[in-house]
């Protein structure tokens, strides 16, 4: 069994290689874009530099010949790499099994309807999976690869042409690497109140994340910090959800945490059925008291 990992970020490449090693005797990896391929994580390593004016989504044509002969292709689920996954699968006459949570042999368990249900699917032909790197957080990547081989860019026939670009401001927060995460939800009525969550996070050395409405509804938090099926799937040791109702689309990003704490003023909030410790109360009172007590 041979598995090929495609990622945009170095750490994701490492974790996905660790997962690929469980199922495959031979593991190869390619990182697309500006990030480097870590050494010692696979048996062969490649890097795809994206030329000026081209976009990461078009890297599929460059990767097509390199993945030939591999049984499974495991892809980091960033927006760009999902697009690469679709193009590679279409070229191979296969389809992508998205958001896989586990892979046993050639059967993958994945989420559907935003995490409401789980489905088991068997790949036909080459198996293409998008998998959150955190799924393999407890595995160790091994391999003898040294510096990655640089692949020459192959432009697709109908390449996307970049007309203009604007840098998206990045927060610099990497929640995937945080042992503790404080997550804020719509229970925060004012943007200024987020300082209460920030104070708690600072006190315990946690990263600050949020539910989707705070990042995409009101734009109070950076888009890369929202947690859930369409955002980050995390597995910190501690997860503190404040003012979050506990909808499944959010919780699939949180329920891999070691211990989940919930603070909500509604004792019937669904999150109380999914947490280890729940506190019924107004976050405006609870958070400052907690920060002061810790
Ligand atoms: C296809 C799809 C994908 C989605 N993907 C995601 C995703 O990846 N991530 C995500 O988060 N959501 C996602 N959603 C949205 C999701 O369904 C929920 O709407 C969202 O998670 C709700 O966010 P929330 O819990 O912050 O807000 P709400 O559901 O509005 O909950 C707010 C909670 O705060 C409590 N509260 C109010 N005031 C206070 C107070 N003063 N003190 C304490 N508690 C208070 C309330 O009792 C309530 O329980 C998705 C939805 C769909 C359909």
């Amino acid at each position: 069994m041979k598995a090929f990992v495609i990622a945009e970020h170095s750490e994701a490449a490492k974790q996905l290689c660790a997962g690929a090693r469980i199922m495959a005797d031979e593991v190869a990896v390619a990182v697309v874009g500006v990030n480097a391929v870590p050494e010692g994580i696979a048996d062969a390593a490649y890097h795809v530099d994206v030329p000026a004016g081209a976009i990461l989504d078009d890297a599929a044509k460059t990767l097509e010949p390199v993945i030939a002969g591999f049984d499974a292709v495991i892809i980091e689920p960033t927006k760009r790499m999902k697009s690469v996954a679709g193009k590679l699968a279409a070229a191979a006459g296969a389809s992508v099994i998205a958001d896989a949570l586990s892979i046993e042999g050639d059967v993958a368990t994945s989420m559907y309807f935003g995490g409401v249900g789980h489905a088991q699917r068997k790949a036909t032909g080459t198996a293409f999976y998008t998998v959150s790197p955190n799924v393999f957080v407890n595995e160790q990547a091994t391999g003898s690869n040294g510096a990655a081989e640089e692949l020459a860019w192959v432009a697709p026939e109908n390449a996307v042409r970049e007309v203009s670009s604007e840098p998206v401001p990045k927060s610099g927060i990497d929640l995937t690497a945080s042992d503790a995460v404080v997550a804020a939800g719509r229970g925060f009525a004012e943007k200024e109140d987020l300082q209460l969550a920030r104070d708690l996070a600072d006190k315990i050395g946690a990263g600050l994340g949020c539910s989707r409405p705070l990042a995409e509804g009101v734009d109070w938090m950076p888009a890369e910090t929202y947690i859930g099926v369409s955002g980050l799937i995390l597995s910190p040791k501690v997860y503190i959800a404040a003012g979050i109702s506990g909808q499944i689309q959010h919780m699939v990003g949180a329920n891999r945490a070691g211990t989940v704490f919930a603070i909500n003023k509604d004792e019937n909030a669904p999150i109380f059925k999914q947490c280890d410790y729940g506190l019924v109360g107004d976050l405006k009172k609870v958070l400052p008291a907690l920060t002061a007590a810790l």
Side-chain angles (χ1 to χ4, degrees):
M1 162 82 169
K2 293 165 72 173
F4 199 105
V5 169
I6 299 173
E8 202 180 320
H9 301 101
S10 310
E11 194 54 33
K14 194 171 164 188
Q15 286 190 9
L16 292 179
C17 280
R21 186 63 77 188
I22 306 168
M23 66 178 92
D25 326 301
E26 195 179 324
V27 176
V29 59
V31 171
V32 183
V34 292
N35 295 312
V37 188
E39 296 191 2
I41 61 166
D43 306 309
Y46 305 93
H47 183 257
V48 183
D49 202 15
V50 182
I55 62 164
L56 269 72
D57 310 46
D58 275 344
K61 208 71 193 159
T62 306
L63 291 163
E64 238 176 74
V66 194
I67 63 162
F70 281 80
D71 308 289
V73 183
I74 301 170
I75 300 154
E76 184 190 1
T78 62
K79 282 193 182 111
R80 302 298 191 204
M81 293 303 104
K82 280 181 180 171
S83 168
V84 168
K87 288 176 186 186
L88 285 173
S95 58
V96 180
I97 298 181
D99 297 327
L101 292 172
S102 67
I103 304 165
E104 301 278 341
D106 57 356
V107 177
T109 303
S110 58
M111 294 180 269
Y112 69 99
F113 289 152
V116 173
H118 289 101
Q120 288 206 317
R121 288 173 61 194
K122 202 169 152 61
T124 45
T126 309
F128 289 87
Y129 306 108
T130 62
V131 189
S132 170
N134 273 312
V135 165
F136 302 120
V137 76
N138 295 322
E139 309 299 332
Q140 206 58 43
T142 54
S144 56
N145 73 287
E149 180 186 330
E150 199 63 48
L151 296 174
W153 180 260
V154 182
E157 217 170 289
N158 297 307
V160 175
R161 198 167 46 86
E162 189 184 275
V163 178
S164 67
S165 71
E166 233 175 84
V168 177
K170 290 276 174 199
S171 63
I173 301 167
D174 182 8
L175 289 176
T176 59
S178 302
D179 274 349
V181 170
V182 175
R186 214 151 42 178
F188 286 78
E190 309 285 340
K191 187 177 182 185
E192 293 65 45
D193 295 343
L194 283 176
Q195 192 55 44
L196 302 174
R198 215 164 271 129
D199 290 344
L200 175 62
D202 289 349
K203 187 75 179 274
I204 61 171
L208 181 63
C210 63
S211 64
R212 190 161 96 168
L214 261 58
E216 290 196 339
V218 289
D219 201 16
W220 291 351
M221 291 281 292
E224 71 266 23
T225 61
Y226 85 78
I227 296 138
V229 66
S230 22
L232 298 168
I233 294 190
L234 301 176
S235 46
K237 291 186 181 138
V238 172
Y239 192 82
I240 305 175
I244 289 180
S245 58
Q247 300 303 317
I248 184 70
Q249 292 86 4
H250 179 80
M251 294 311 289
V252 294
N255 59 20
R256 285 167 179 271
T259 307
V260 176
F261 295 83
I263 302 159
N264 197 301
K265 70 175 183 185
D266 175 7
E267 62 179 14
N268 296 315
I271 198 160
F272 287 132
K273 291 209 169 76
Q274 305 167 76
C275 65
D276 300 290
Y277 298 93
L279 207 157
V280 179
D282 188 327
L283 58 86
K284 281 185 152 183
K285 288 187 185 148
V286 174
L287 288 177
L290 202 55
T291 305
L294 287 170

